[in-house]
Amino acid sequence: MTLPEFLRDFARGQAKRLYTSREFEFPDIRQTPAPLWELVDLRRYASMSLQFSRGCPYDCDFCNITAMLGHRPRVKTTAQVITELDILHRLGWRGAVFFVDDNFIGNKHFLKTELLPALISWQNKTGHRTPFFTEASINLADDEELMRLMVEAGFNQVFIGIETPEEESLAECNKRQNQERNLVEDVKRIQRTGLEVQAGFIVGFDNDKPTIFERQMEFIQKSALSRPWLVCYRPSPVPSSTSG
Ligand code: SF4
């Protein structure tokens, strides 16, 4: 949002040292042009990236997503997403596409009524099943229809921020969407729909007991997570970045 102003000033030889947007003012990603994928040597990449939405309705206190991108999920139009996929397909890309959203399911209604049906049609139209993967919060497990549509649209993996099986530690970091749930059963429910679950874990909360490593390992074994990611938490004034 600050770039046009900078470019105007720069062209007049009057660039300022600093440009900032107003607080809680975020770019309209419906104005984002499709990336110039023609400039990329696709053979050098394991997967391509596409961002459908920005922002997350939750407020986990270790996460910088909401500070940078806000709580209200902003979504691209379905036409934008399909255009980006069409370009990749036209350039010969047949590998996986990572929807690099902070929380893919921030706007479930739009997903179920607009984007996922369009992705299903796109997959049928191309005649090639492009694998998709993304990041989401654990309440994905509550929505059978959403999971079913995601799988039908080509999603086969999802990363979820589990963080910790300790209720007190979840409360400490305000991970309220994970509290008072059977997280193992949630993971299994997602897996049963056909989505491989990857998950992030954190140790080092003030409320963690000395047994936290055993508890984390027990959780990972019970839930049969394919790729657990572990982060050691050290509270600091600058939140770290994580998603889902
Ligand atoms: S950790 Fe995930 S669920 Fe929590 S605020 Fe960040 S993006 Fe949202």
Side-chain angles (χ1 to χ4, degrees):
M1 293 166 75
T2 51
L3 191 62
E5 193 185 342
F6 163 71
L7 291 174
R8 260 194 320 271
D9 292 350
F10 188 69
R12 293 200 303 253
Q14 293 173 357
K16 294 184 284 196
R17 288 179 65 85
L18 188 64
Y19 291 80
T20 54
S21 53
R22 284 187 291 279
E23 202 176 3
F24 305 123
E25 186 184 31
F26 300 105
D28 180 358
I29 60 173
R30 290 171 302 182
Q31 307 298 324
T32 308
L36 289 174
W37 290 114
E38 294 83 350
L39 302 178
V40 174
D41 182 354
L42 301 181
R43 292 168 305 175
R44 293 178 174 271
Y45 291 83
S47 65
M48 286 291 113
S49 298
L50 188 161
Q51 189 167 40
F52 154 63
S53 71
R54 280 185 168 183
C56 174
Y58 295 112
D59 198 17
C60 311
D61 79 0
F62 52 80
C63 175
N64 65 0
I65 296 286
T66 47
M68 290 193 307
L69 304 176
H71 287 287
R72 188 173 55 81
R74 289 164 290 128
V75 301
K76 284 182 182 167
T77 64
T78 298
Q80 279 176 290
V81 174
I82 297 297
T83 298
E84 292 188 33
L85 289 171
D86 274 342
I87 295 170
L88 286 170
H89 195 264
R90 177 167 48 76
L91 293 172
W93 181 258
R94 296 293 181 273
V97 175
F98 180 17
F99 279 69
V100 289
D101 293 34
D102 312 317
N103 186 353
F104 184 69
I105 63 167
N107 187 334
K108 291 183 191 178
H109 179 72
F110 189 87
L111 282 178
K112 288 196 270 192
T113 57
E114 304 259 348
L115 185 68
L116 292 171
L119 290 180
I120 293 167
S121 302
W122 182 81
Q123 296 274 28
N124 292 337
K125 189 188 82 181
T126 61
H128 168 81
R129 196 158 171 81
T130 298
F132 298 140
F133 59 108
T134 192
E135 304 178 322
S137 43
I138 192 69
N139 55 319
L140 172 63
D142 302 335
D143 198 325
E144 292 284 344
E145 185 194 0
L146 180 57
M147 291 189 286
R148 182 184 56 74
L149 284 169
M150 283 177 67
V151 171
E152 202 180 332
F155 285 85
N156 60 13
Q157 285 175 38
V158 61
F159 176 95
I160 293 183
I162 299 286
E163 324 308 359
T164 177
E166 290 281 357
E167 280 293 328
E168 294 87 348
S169 299
L170 289 172
E172 180 187 326
C173 69
N174 200 32
K175 191 97 189 176
R176 58 189 160 80
Q177 68 274 29
N178 287 29
Q179 286 179 259
E180 293 172 21
R181 304 183 62 110
N182 184 337
L183 292 168
V184 171
E185 191 43 48
D186 289 336
V187 170
K188 288 185 181 298
R189 204 174 317 131
I190 297 170
Q191 289 166 332
R192 279 196 293 269
T193 65
L195 289 161
E196 177 188 333
V197 180
Q198 301 181 19
F201 293 90
I202 298 174
V203 291
F205 292 111
D206 288 349
N207 280 288
D208 280 356
K209 316 280 184 303
T211 54
I212 186 61
F213 288 98
E214 285 77 17
R215 289 215 57 200
Q216 295 275 32
M217 284 196 294
E218 186 190 15
F219 182 95
I220 291 163
Q221 294 287 352
K222 271 192 187 162
S223 53
L225 289 161
S226 55
R227 270 174 274 187
W229 304 70
L230 186 69
V231 174
C232 293
Y233 185 55
R234 203 171 124 257
S236 86
V238 183
S240 63
S241 176
T242 182
S243 293

